[in-house]
Amino acid sequence: DIIPFLSQMRCFVLLISLLALHIAHVACGRSFTIDWDNDRFLKDGKPFSYQSGGMHYFRVPRQYWGDRMNKIRLAGMNTLQTYISWRSHELVEGEFNFEGDNNITEYLSLAQSYGLNVVLRPGPYICAEWTFGGLPYWLLNKPGMEVRMYNKPYVEAIAKWFAVLLPIIKPFLYENGGPIITVQVENEYGAYGPFVCDKKYLQFLLDLNKKYLGENAVYFTMDNTNDKRLECGAIPGLLKALDFGPENEPAHELQMLRKFQAHGPFINGEYWAGWFDMWGGGHANRNATKVAERLDQMLQLNASVNFYMFHGGTNFGYTNGAMSKVPGRYNVRVTSYDYNAPLTESGDTTEKYFAIRDVMSKYVELPSDPVPPNSPKWKSTVDIQMKTRISLFDNLEQFSKCVERKLPSLMEHFNQSEGFILYQLQWSGPLHNISLYGVHDRATVFVDRQKIGSINRMQSLNGSLILPIDLVNQLNVRPDKGYTISILVENLGRVNHGSYMAVDFKGINCMVLLDGKNVNLEGWTVCPLPLDSVQPALQNMANLRYPPSGSPFTPSIFCGSFRKLNGDDTFLDPRGWEKGIAYLNEVNLGRYWPTEGPQVTLYAPGVYFKQGENLICLFEIETANPGNTVVFTDVSILGKKVEINSDDLLEF
């Protein structure tokens, strides 16, 4: 058998040799460099500037990448920009996922097939209004951890991650025949702090990138146009990019850049064509005409421009981020990342898209093929009956392995990234007041199944709830009979921007007081509830228990089946329900909270449906729809539009 084996090996070696020769031939003569003296890039020796569309692979179903890239190309863009989300690829330490929507090599190859260059932003911190700024939560479990500075546990973890990631990226560099023309080091580092300015950390990242990607790649940093931020975020001798929106005069921004970098290309690495939304706010809007006018002005200055975002996508599941730059202040991003971008959350073109395309036609020859029409959307013809109900409190063993613990006991202690955590305490005697301190992020409190109220970090870290008088009276007349206190805490999203990222532990961080008495050391039952899926409980219906007849509403999962025979996109309309998580078949669509707004509907991509029978489930925390129904609609409802201006950006 050795002769056939040797023959196969010779064929294999020959194949590899031919492949290497092909790559060398493709890469031969390819170069992407900076012409510092003339303030420009050179691509294969010729002057070049890029016009780019931002689109994150981890926010868009893989099946739709090509459609979005094609529309970006047809708008006159020659480049694509994306972050890399570390937490998406290494949700569990040491276990790497580059499959499905995480298949970065497919994404890069597809971009190249559409003739798009790529500006890559590998972080490791990316902000992006993405949970924990793209960092994996398990960093918080490492003793002595400080993120975004030269901290031993942090840089060691980065080194291990980059040793996996960057060798995958290297073949896709432009000089190696791939589409990647520039690589960012960290992200808007000058804004971290106030003003951490850890140059040793930045140099460590640059050296690590060069170790795996080589000296010839074009590296850059990027910061807001603020003197201190530009200074803190810079690496001496490295290309500097800016980020700003249409409120800013491009000529003024160029002057600001020249104070720190006398020569080199003028880059707006994040031209904010829209903005993100947060629960309790409005739906951000930037005027299409103004966006197009500022683009024209930047192109007149020979700027390279990246639209952030050209297509925003969706924070599916629990992936939305949050902001906390000052103590006691916490704002949460919504599920949609529509961003008021030129392409909508569902990939449709807009007035802004065509305004941008018109400007681009003055500077480049647009592709000859037409812009595709917007895709049809599906609408359910009848209300979907949510006939199945699973009470969480009555079926905890289906969802969690509860343990006896003292407080504080947090999600991170259970190696839990997202979701919920439930605290239960058996108590007896009179009770008038329950106080919680250090709620991260939203706690709903029950006494013997009766909801007392909620404490929300968006308003305050701490709070007290007064029991209703009828319940107080009930407890007073049965002082020796025990009752259950249940506190369900939701992780609303890990802080993605601000100096409180590394102390954002989820659960009750401080203490619980009952009528002023600290009960942290009592016998609590703690139940981690990731609730990534509700499928396990649905597969064990025979063993479910049901709440007593006539008992008050407690958090429950409602499910209903329906038929859908086409692959069209649609939007779940949860109005009538109050707050919770929606699941379509095996996919977590994200949070709904129509009573808080601005977002009402949830985007449901057609690729997440089955041909025929489908299942929609809601985990409702607060109040069920009286009719126990939901519908799908053909219109996205993201809330009342509010114009974004420079005042809205001050906190950021």
Side-chain angles (χ1 to χ4, degrees):
D1 294 336
I2 190 68
I3 294 176
F5 173 76
L6 290 174
S7 177
Q8 291 173 7
M9 284 299 296
R10 281 194 294 270
C11 289
F12 178 73
V13 171
L14 178 61
L15 180 63
I16 293 297
S17 300
L18 290 172
L19 181 61
L21 286 171
H22 173 72
I23 293 173
H25 174 72
V26 169
C28 182
R30 289 169 64 97
S31 65
F32 192 84
T33 58
I34 301 170
D35 180 359
W36 291 99
D37 292 337
N38 294 296
D39 303 330
R40 63 190 181 183
F41 291 115
L42 296 177
K43 186 180 181 188
D44 300 332
K46 297 178 181 179
F48 177 83
S49 64
Y50 65 75
Q51 295 79 45
S52 169
M55 177 187 117
H56 303 151
Y57 63 93
F58 46 85
R59 280 187 162 119
V60 181
R62 174 189 184 190
Q63 298 92 326
Y64 293 165
W65 290 346
D67 172 77
R68 294 357 179 211
M69 291 178 186
N70 185 44
K71 290 172 181 172
I72 289 171
R73 175 186 69 89
L74 292 173
M77 305 295 119
N78 60 18
T79 301
L80 187 71
Q81 188 197 86
T82 186
Y83 286 122
I84 287 180
S85 167
W86 182 4
R87 61 88 56 198
S88 301
H89 295 286
E90 195 181 1
L91 191 57
V92 176
E93 185 175 8
E95 297 180 12
F96 300 98
N97 176 9
F98 292 94
E99 302 299 320
D101 293 348
N102 290 323
N103 192 333
I104 185 64
T105 58
E106 180 181 335
Y107 181 89
L108 294 171
S109 296
L110 196 59
Q112 189 167 24
S113 74
Y114 280 100
L116 294 170
N117 307 294
V118 172
V119 172
L120 194 70
R121 307 175 73 182
Y125 166 79
I126 63 172
C127 185
E129 292 73 60
W130 192 242
T131 184
F132 203 21
L135 302 177
Y137 84 95
W138 46 260
L139 291 173
L140 297 174
N141 280 336
K142 294 186 176 295
M145 174 60 64
E146 293 282 351
V147 300
R148 302 191 70 191
M149 58 181 63
Y150 196 87
N151 164 270
K152 190 171 185 291
Y154 183 53
V155 298
E156 286 178 349
I158 294 170
K160 291 177 182 177
W161 161 233
F162 273 16
V164 173
L165 172 68
L166 296 184
I168 294 172
I169 296 301
K170 186 173 183 179
F172 293 92
L173 295 176
Y174 187 78
E175 66 173 346
N176 295 332
I180 298 172
I181 53 175
T182 62
V183 178
Q184 186 183 12
V185 179
E186 236 273 350
N187 181 52
E188 297 175 328
Y189 188 65
Y192 186 56
F195 309 125
V196 173
C197 297
D198 189 340
K199 298 293 186 178
K200 182 178 180 182
Y201 164 62
L202 290 179
Q203 189 63 48
F204 162 79
L205 289 179
L206 177 59
D207 292 344
L208 199 58
N209 274 280
K210 288 183 175 181
K211 175 181 177 180
Y212 293 105
L213 300 181
E215 297 283 342
N216 294 333
V218 174
Y219 301 102
F220 70 100
T221 62
M222 182 162 62
D223 282 290
N224 315 132
T225 47
N226 167 296
D227 282 359
K228 190 65 176 175
R229 291 183 177 187
L230 286 168
E231 180 184 332
C232 282
I235 300 175
L238 206 66
L239 180 65
K240 167 67 72 179
L242 307 179
D243 50 15
F244 57 89
E247 298 80 18
N248 301 60
E249 292 274 359
H252 177 266
E253 301 303 302
L254 179 56
Q255 289 177 356
M256 176 76 76
L257 175 66
R258 291 303 176 224
K259 289 167 60 178
F260 293 89
Q261 187 169 275
H263 290 286
F266 176 30
I267 305 168
N268 187 348
E270 283 191 11
Y271 179 41
W272 300 319
W275 201 244
F276 50 80
D277 296 345
M278 55 190 174
W279 291 115
H283 177 42
N285 181 62
R286 274 197 166 102
N287 180 272
T289 301
K290 189 68 172 178
V291 168
E293 288 175 351
R294 289 298 197 210
L295 171 64
D296 200 354
Q297 293 170 12
M298 286 187 284
L299 296 182
Q300 289 175 28
L301 295 170
N302 197 35
S304 289
V305 180
N306 171 69
F307 281 90
Y308 191 100
M309 300 292 297
F310 205 99
H311 173 54
T314 308
N315 298 318
F316 291 114
Y318 302 113
T319 57
N320 65 276
M323 176 88 80
S324 181
K325 292 194 72 174
V326 294
R329 199 112 179 250
Y330 177 77
N331 300 317
V332 184
R333 311 302 172 230
V334 301
T335 301
S336 171
Y337 203 63
D338 176 85
Y339 212 83
N340 189 229
L343 293 176
T344 67
E345 182 178 14
S346 57
D348 289 342
T349 55
T350 63
E351 175 193 0
K352 189 176 292 181
Y353 177 92
F354 289 103
I356 290 166
R357 192 170 186 266
D358 286 346
V359 171
M360 291 304 304
S361 69
K362 296 165 56 177
Y363 296 89
V364 300
E365 183 178 349
L366 295 174
S368 59
D369 39 329
V371 177
N374 290 337
S375 62
K377 306 298 187 292
W378 181 73
K379 181 178 182 179
S380 54
T381 55
V382 297
D383 292 355
I384 298 168
Q385 297 291 325
M386 310 290 273
K387 296 180 179 179
T388 299
R389 177 183 175 184
I390 304 171
S391 166
L392 177 68
F393 290 174
D394 294 293
N395 297 280
L396 277 172
E397 73 283 354
Q398 300 285 342
F399 301 98
S400 180
K401 293 182 179 179
C402 301
V403 296
E404 300 299 315
R405 287 280 183 94
K406 294 178 174 59
L407 302 188
S409 189
L410 305 168
M411 287 188 184
E412 293 75 17
H413 300 159
F414 297 95
N415 294 317
Q416 179 184 349
S417 178
E418 282 101 22
F420 300 78
I421 188 166
L422 176 67
Y423 304 90
Q424 290 190 321
L425 179 66
Q426 301 302 313
W427 202 247
S428 62
L431 182 63
H432 299 84
N433 179 283
I434 300 175
S435 300
L436 308 181
Y437 290 85
V439 174
H440 284 208
D441 300 307
R442 187 177 187 273
T444 306
V445 182
F446 303 82
V447 174
D448 259 5
R449 308 180 73 94
Q450 183 169 335
K451 186 172 78 172
I452 308 304
S454 297
I455 295 172
N456 186 347
R457 183 181 173 194
M458 289 163 59
Q459 280 82 50
S460 175
L461 276 170
N462 314 312
S464 295
L465 299 172
I466 307 298
L467 274 64
I469 191 66
D470 59 334
L471 182 57
V472 170
N473 291 337
Q474 290 178 36
L475 300 180
N476 284 339
V477 299
R478 51 172 192 172
D480 298 326
K481 185 177 180 182
Y483 49 88
T484 303
I485 298 170
S486 300
I487 307 171
L488 181 65
V489 178
E490 178 181 1
N491 171 353
L492 288 175
R494 295 185 182 275
V495 172
N496 66 268
H497 182 77
S499 53
Y500 294 91
M501 290 177 59
V503 292
D504 191 19
F505 298 94
K506 298 303 185 180
I508 299 175
N509 276 253
C510 191
M511 60 184 170
V512 178
L513 302 183
L514 301 183
D515 288 341
K517 178 184 177 181
N518 187 330
V519 292
N520 276 20
L521 301 184
E522 302 292 339
W524 289 88
T525 299
V526 183
C527 307
L529 294 161
L531 290 182
D532 298 314
S533 168
V534 297
Q535 293 294 320
L538 294 173
Q539 294 166 6
N540 196 23
M541 295 290 290
N543 295 319
L544 294 179
R545 292 187 296 274
Y546 297 90
S549 178
S551 63
F553 177 83
T554 57
S556 299
I557 294 160
F558 296 81
C559 296
S561 60
F562 63 98
R563 291 183 64 78
K564 184 173 183 287
L565 299 177
N566 62 40
D568 295 345
D569 292 350
T570 183
F571 305 92
L572 176 70
D573 187 344
R575 282 178 291 189
W577 304 82
E578 186 170 344
K579 186 181 193 317
I581 310 296
Y583 305 85
L584 174 61
N585 297 320
E586 290 80 26
V587 179
N588 183 336
L589 291 179
R591 306 174 207 275
Y592 64 87
W593 201 355
T595 55
E596 185 76 7
Q599 180 176 3
V600 175
T601 57
L602 290 181
Y603 175 49
V607 294
Y608 291 167
F609 289 87
K610 301 173 183 177
Q611 293 296 309
E613 200 75 10
N614 290 270
L615 187 70
I616 183 69
C617 294
L618 303 181
F619 173 49
E620 174 59 50
I621 304 165
E622 299 287 346
T623 306
N625 181 316
N628 284 358
T629 61
V630 295
V631 297
F632 286 92
T633 180
D634 54 0
V635 178
S636 172
I637 305 172
L638 297 178
K640 182 180 179 180
K641 288 186 176 181
V642 293
E643 289 293 327
I644 295 297
N645 57 53
S646 56
D647 291 338
D648 297 301
L649 310 181
L650 291 178
E651 183 184 83
F652 190 78

